[in-house]
Amino acid sequence: MGRVLDGKVAIVTGAAGPMGLAAAQALAADGARLALVDLPGARLDAAAQALGGDGAPFACDLAQPEAAAALAQRVTDALGRVDILVNNAGVLSNAKSQATDYNEWRRVLAVNLDAAFLLARAVIPAMKERRWGRIINTSSLASKTGGLTAGTAYSVSKGALSALTFSLARELAAHGVTVNAIAPAYVRTPMVTEQLTESQRQALLAQIPVGRFCEPEEFGHAVRFLAAPLSGFITGEVLDLNGGLQMD
Ligand SMILES: NC(=O)c1ccc[n+]([C@@H]2O[C@H](COP(=O)([O-])OP(=O)(O)OC[C@H]3O[C@@H](n4cnc5c(N)ncnc54)[C@H](O)[C@@H]3O)[C@@H](O)[C@H]2O)c1
């Protein structure tokens, strides 16, 4: 029996990280071929190896606007098309306003927001032409809370990414292209395990009703769900993935 994403090509950015890799593997399980995008290096090569024949590495520094804008064409030249875009690359900053200079602000916004916009803009025309597409953005609980531990630039970048999700969803709804976001909180990745102190981790665990951190595979499952053909009536949604930390 065919799989629901057979014949589809998906770009996953930040694919060398645990969440991006889990998303790529979940989409591959449904039949998609993957363009795995991340900074050049051994982690990206390892991600491509983990995907086997289902994924090809595309080294790219998404902080460079020209490189981000050109990426969709690189993928289309190599894999023939782009049906699914998962904007998942991100950089964390825990600096609050007074510790955030302009360079830090731009560093975070460039990757978390600008690259997502530039990539989406590049893939949209062909998606509209085929009347099918999925854009899935990795936002964050920080977009709603102001950042429990996350800093100013990061929280703003994720809030703007949710707003970009709404704007594109409205623009593209009539063209068969859905645009959604996932707002995770505290997925068990180096962002959580290395960038928080042990006392911060314990305090957070005490607050999360589910009583544990999120697993990358649970994020991958959410991506797979939103990418599925049967999710075509869901657009402009920001799907919470936070173990009940915030209910709204
Ligand atoms: N870990 C969490 O608890 C959590 C919570 C909410 C949201 N998120 C978001 O989930 C996404 C994935 O996070 P993660 O925890 O897997 O982090 P991670 O740091 O392991 O992965 C992020 C990936 O993005 C890549 N990246 C960073 N800058 C890049 C650039 N300039 N060009 C290309 N690639 C670049 C990194 O190399 C890395 O592989 C991020 O957008 C993050 O903000 C994570």
Side-chain angles (χ1 to χ4, degrees):
M1 209 175 78
R3 293 172 294 177
V4 293
L5 297 181
D6 275 345
K8 304 273 195 258
V9 170
I11 293 178
V12 175
T13 70
M19 292 168 61
L21 181 57
Q25 287 173 323
L27 294 172
D30 271 345
R33 284 179 298 145
L34 271 299
L36 306 163
V37 177
D38 212 298
L39 294 168
R43 288 168 70 247
L44 178 57
D45 297 338
Q49 273 198 346
L51 262 290
D54 295 329
F58 288 81
C60 181
D61 181 359
L62 293 169
Q64 307 300 324
E66 305 77 19
L71 181 67
Q73 193 57 53
R74 278 175 62 196
V75 173
T76 304
D77 289 346
L79 301 180
R81 54 197 287 150
V82 178
D83 305 280
I84 300 164
L85 168 63
V86 183
N87 283 312
N88 171 75
V91 288
L92 178 65
S93 169
N94 287 332
K96 297 293 184 183
S97 66
Q98 297 310 297
T100 303
D101 63 18
Y102 184 69
N103 286 341
E104 178 70 350
W105 177 263
R106 281 305 326 150
R107 181 183 79 89
V108 174
L109 270 286
V111 177
N112 295 10
L113 180 63
D114 298 0
F117 166 68
L118 292 168
L119 268 171
R121 195 175 63 167
V123 299
I124 283 168
M127 287 181 177
K128 281 173 76 173
E129 214 168 284
R130 283 195 295 269
R131 298 200 57 77
W132 201 95
R134 297 281 186 265
I135 299 175
I136 301 165
N137 297 319
T138 306
S139 183
S140 168
L141 173 69
S143 68
K144 296 182 175 187
T145 60
L148 302 180
T149 49
T152 308
Y154 183 83
S155 302
V156 170
S157 74
K158 295 300 187 177
L161 192 58
S162 292
L164 177 67
T165 302
F166 299 145
S167 177
L168 293 180
R170 189 168 294 281
E171 177 186 341
L172 300 173
H175 299 276
V177 180
T178 69
V179 187
N180 294 289
I182 300 169
Y186 303 111
V187 186
R188 208 167 50 79
T189 70
M191 257 194 201
V192 164
T193 52
E194 285 165 20
Q195 304 219 28
L196 297 179
T197 64
E198 186 54 31
S199 62
Q200 278 177 320
R201 268 197 296 276
Q202 291 310 323
L204 280 166
L205 279 175
Q207 284 176 53
I208 299 172
V210 169
R212 59 175 177 80
F213 294 124
C214 181
E215 294 298 322
E217 291 70 25
E218 295 175 306
F219 170 77
H221 176 71
V223 170
R224 182 181 187 174
F225 165 70
L226 289 171
L230 274 176
S231 294
F233 207 60
I234 302 173
T235 197
E237 173 69 10
V238 179
L239 179 64
D240 284 338
L241 192 68
N242 63 29
L245 189 54
Q246 170 150 321
M247 301 183 187
D248 56 20

